[in-house]
């Protein structure tokens, strides 16, 4: 959602001296370039309920736009289509006046400071993953997979997630008796699947108390251990390592430590699969809405980030991109969430409902516009001599 941030900051940084009507005209003209109308009658048109929206955009940019949606200041029949059109039109490249100083200060803040230290690792667990297993039980599929499904042959969310889990196991060449480490194991979906179907023992680590509680229940009776622990404090050796949807919480300043730790834990003939969201271009600041409300201290890696961080630690065996599948996954989550809302609304506010939909639809737009990628990297220990053929 980074480009959306730039687009509305472009608008918000316009001179505060211009009148509201002229600013309205400016926004209307810019949105027209993405074929979006204010108060139009098409599914992607912006419906404005509070005329103060434009002033809010002027003052608070992308974050103000998101918060205005949370508060009911505007609506759209298909928010995902609205945001996708904005991203595809690359409106920021057609406007001047970006406040370079403010953006530079934000980038410097996230470049100089380590927001994902071991002492701060628990924050995202408490803010996001611990908000309620009731929500995730209803939004996710039965495997409780909170990452991109694999839709090459699947026609529903559960099949896509099972196919993704099986793809990971096949890429890792799992065999009975192997020991697998799952860094960022979530609710134990991969650990359970690998133990049941591939005969391996698994150690999974999470920084979420609620994830561990439910994961422990799901893997009862299986050779699986779930630990509430930061990856940096792990010890032991493993035949295989997987990290699925966790790398987004590592942070650029910790990439060397992350890959050094994985190499230290992996046997010399081992394989490591990394499943992560990525971007082609390197960004030094998070999207403001996602950082404030969804994944505090998160960071999406660029292709250069991964290339630089893995060199010297691992040999690259395969790099697989199926980011378009995340659009399908997110839209399925949004459908499940909306369907389950009557059962959830007693525990969550209407503001939360709109915030959560904006998150899911905004992320779907990020991948649908092809700004966002979903990468699976298969990395080999540098001392591994066996040949490798990656399945699809």
């Amino acid at each position: 959602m980074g480009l959306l941030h730039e687009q509305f900051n472009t608008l918000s940084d316009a001179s505060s001296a211009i009148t509201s009507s002229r600013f309205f005209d400016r926004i209307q003209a810019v949105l027209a370039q993405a074929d979006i109308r204010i108060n139009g009658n098409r599914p992607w048109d912006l419906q404005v309920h509070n005329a103060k929206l434009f002033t809010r955009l002027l003052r608070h940019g992308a974050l103000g736009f998101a918060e205005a949606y949370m508060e009911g200041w505007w609506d759209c029949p298909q928010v995902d289509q609205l945001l996708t059109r904005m991203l595809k039109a690359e409106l920021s490249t057609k406007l001047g006046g970006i406040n370079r100083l403010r953006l530079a200060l934000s980038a410097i803040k996230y470049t100089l400071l380590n927001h994902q230290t071991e002492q701060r690792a628990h924050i995202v667990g408490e803010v996001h993953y611990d908000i309620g297993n009731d929500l995730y039980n209803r939004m996710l599929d039965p495997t409780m997979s909170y990452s991109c499904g694999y839709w090459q042959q699947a026609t529903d969310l559960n099949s896509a997630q099972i196919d993704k889990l099986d793809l990971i196991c096949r890429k890792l060449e799992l065999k009975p008796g192997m020991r697998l480490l799952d860094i960022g194991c979530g609710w134990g979906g991969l650990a359970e699947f690998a133990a049941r179907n591939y005969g391996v023992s698994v150690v999974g680590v999470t920084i979420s108390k609620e994830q561990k509680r439910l994961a422990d229940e799901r893997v009862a009776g299986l050779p699986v251990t779930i630990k509430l622990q930061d990856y940096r404090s792990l010890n032991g050796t493993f035949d295989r390592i997987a990290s699925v949807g966790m790398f987004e919480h590592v942070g650029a300043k910790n990439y060397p430590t992350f890959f050094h730790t994985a190499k230290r834990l992996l046997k010399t003939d081992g394989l490591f699969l990394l499943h992560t969201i990525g971007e082609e271009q390197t960004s030094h600041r998070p999207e403001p809405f996602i950082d404030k409300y969804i994944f505090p201290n998160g960071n999406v890696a660029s292709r250069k980030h991964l290339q630089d961080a893995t060199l010297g630690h691992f040999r690259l065996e395969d790099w697989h991109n199926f980011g378009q599948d995340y659009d399908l996954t997110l839209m399925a989550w949004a459908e499940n969430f909306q369907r389950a809302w009557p059962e959830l609304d007693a525990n969550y506010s209407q503001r939360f409902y709109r915030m959560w939909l904006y998150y899911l639809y905004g992320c779907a737009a990020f991948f649908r516009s092809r700004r966002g990628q979903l990468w699976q990297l298969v990395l080999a220990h540098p001392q591994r001599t066996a040949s490798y053929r990656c399945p699809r």
Side-chain angles (χ1 to χ4, degrees):
M1 295 178 67
L3 185 58
L4 185 63
H5 165 57
E6 293 178 5
Q7 289 164 6
F8 279 101
N9 275 328
T10 297
L11 297 172
S12 65
D13 292 329
S15 170
S16 59
I18 64 176
T19 65
S20 297
S21 61
R22 286 180 60 194
F23 189 60
F24 170 86
D25 292 340
R26 171 89 170 179
I27 292 176
Q28 188 167 242
V30 170
L31 293 180
Q33 297 180 49
D35 194 26
I36 298 167
R37 301 170 188 160
I38 297 175
N39 296 331
N41 58 7
R42 298 167 304 174
W44 58 85
D45 284 334
L46 184 68
Q47 308 298 318
V48 178
H49 305 311
N50 190 326
K52 295 179 181 179
L53 172 66
F54 305 110
T55 303
R56 194 166 189 171
L57 286 176
L58 180 67
R59 294 175 177 171
H60 303 293
L63 182 59
F65 186 65
E67 291 177 333
Y69 179 77
M70 291 162 58
E71 295 168 22
W73 286 26
W74 64 270
D75 271 302
C76 177
Q78 295 292 331
V79 175
D80 57 304
Q81 293 188 31
L82 169 70
L83 300 181
T84 300
R85 285 175 173 271
M86 291 177 173
L87 289 168
K88 284 185 175 180
E90 297 185 353
L91 302 185
S92 64
T93 65
K94 303 172 185 178
L95 292 168
I98 295 177
N99 188 326
R100 303 292 181 183
L101 177 59
R102 187 174 68 206
L103 296 183
L105 289 174
S106 175
I108 290 171
K109 172 186 174 184
Y110 282 91
T111 300
L112 294 180
L113 301 178
N114 187 351
H115 292 264
Q116 300 89 1
T117 63
E118 194 166 351
Q119 293 72 31
R120 294 172 58 86
H122 65 92
I123 294 175
V124 69
E126 295 171 354
V127 170
H128 190 82
Y129 297 105
D130 289 346
I131 59 175
N133 285 336
D134 59 337
L135 167 64
Y136 292 111
N137 262 316
R138 288 164 175 79
M139 185 181 83
L140 305 179
D141 74 296
T143 72
M144 292 296 287
S145 294
Y146 194 24
S147 56
C148 182
Y150 189 52
W151 294 79
Q152 185 176 40
Q153 297 179 351
T155 57
D156 62 85
L157 178 63
N158 187 224
S159 297
Q161 295 295 8
I162 290 173
D163 287 353
K164 184 267 300 291
L165 296 176
D166 192 60
L167 180 66
I168 290 171
C169 293
R170 289 187 290 118
K171 284 183 175 182
L172 285 172
E173 298 181 343
L174 292 183
K175 295 178 174 60
M178 283 186 172
R179 192 168 186 239
L180 170 67
L181 171 64
D182 185 0
I183 302 177
C185 65
W187 291 273
L190 174 60
E192 180 185 11
F193 184 89
R196 288 191 187 279
N197 296 281
Y198 284 83
V200 299
S201 62
V202 187
V203 173
V205 293
T206 176
I207 44 76
S208 165
K209 295 177 182 178
E210 288 299 300
Q211 284 187 336
K212 173 176 165 50
R213 182 175 65 80
L214 184 55
D216 281 336
E217 296 175 8
R218 291 168 55 86
V219 302
L222 293 172
V224 176
T225 301
I226 306 296
K227 298 183 177 182
L228 187 67
Q229 186 174 350
D230 185 82
Y231 70 91
R232 283 162 283 207
S233 62
L234 285 166
N235 289 302
T237 56
F238 299 86
D239 299 286
R240 301 290 189 264
I241 299 176
S243 183
V244 182
M246 174 271 181
F247 193 68
E248 297 85 347
H249 305 306
V250 170
K253 296 187 79 64
N254 301 304
Y255 292 163
T257 299
F258 179 86
F259 288 109
H260 174 77
T261 301
K263 181 182 176 184
R264 171 174 60 81
L265 297 168
L266 187 65
K267 290 184 177 180
T268 55
D269 62 346
L271 295 171
F272 170 30
L273 183 140
L274 179 69
H275 172 118
T276 184
I277 296 170
E279 286 187 284
E280 291 295 307
Q281 301 300 318
T282 300
S283 175
H284 298 291
R285 61 185 183 277
E287 201 283 330
F289 166 74
I290 295 294
D291 184 51
K292 182 174 180 179
Y293 289 102
I294 309 299
F295 297 115
N297 307 317
N299 181 261
V300 174
S302 69
R303 185 145 48 106
K304 186 176 187 302
H305 275 143
L306 288 174
Q307 176 179 309
D308 292 348
T310 55
L311 280 173
H313 293 295
F314 292 97
R315 180 173 63 252
L316 177 65
E317 297 285 7
D318 188 70
W319 194 318
H320 184 187
N321 183 7
F322 52 98
Q324 65 275 10
D325 288 12
Y326 227 145
D327 177 15
L328 296 171
T329 304
L330 285 152
M331 293 304 291
W333 289 344
E335 183 179 348
N336 287 347
F337 173 66
Q338 288 181 289
R339 186 187 303 117
W341 182 248
E343 306 169 45
L344 297 170
D345 67 349
N347 298 327
Y348 303 89
S349 67
Q350 185 66 21
R351 178 182 169 89
F352 175 89
Y353 173 75
R354 294 177 68 90
M355 176 195 77
W356 205 254
L357 282 180
Y358 191 87
Y359 151 55
L360 295 174
Y361 288 144
C363 289
F366 178 58
F367 291 100
R368 192 180 308 167
S369 68
R370 298 310 308 273
R371 281 297 302 271
Q373 316 302 325
L374 189 286
W375 293 324
Q376 280 190 356
L377 279 66
V378 177
L379 304 164
H381 193 286
Q383 295 181 37
R384 177 185 165 95
T385 58
S387 61
Y388 183 78
R389 296 289 183 271
C390 190
R392 286 285 186 269

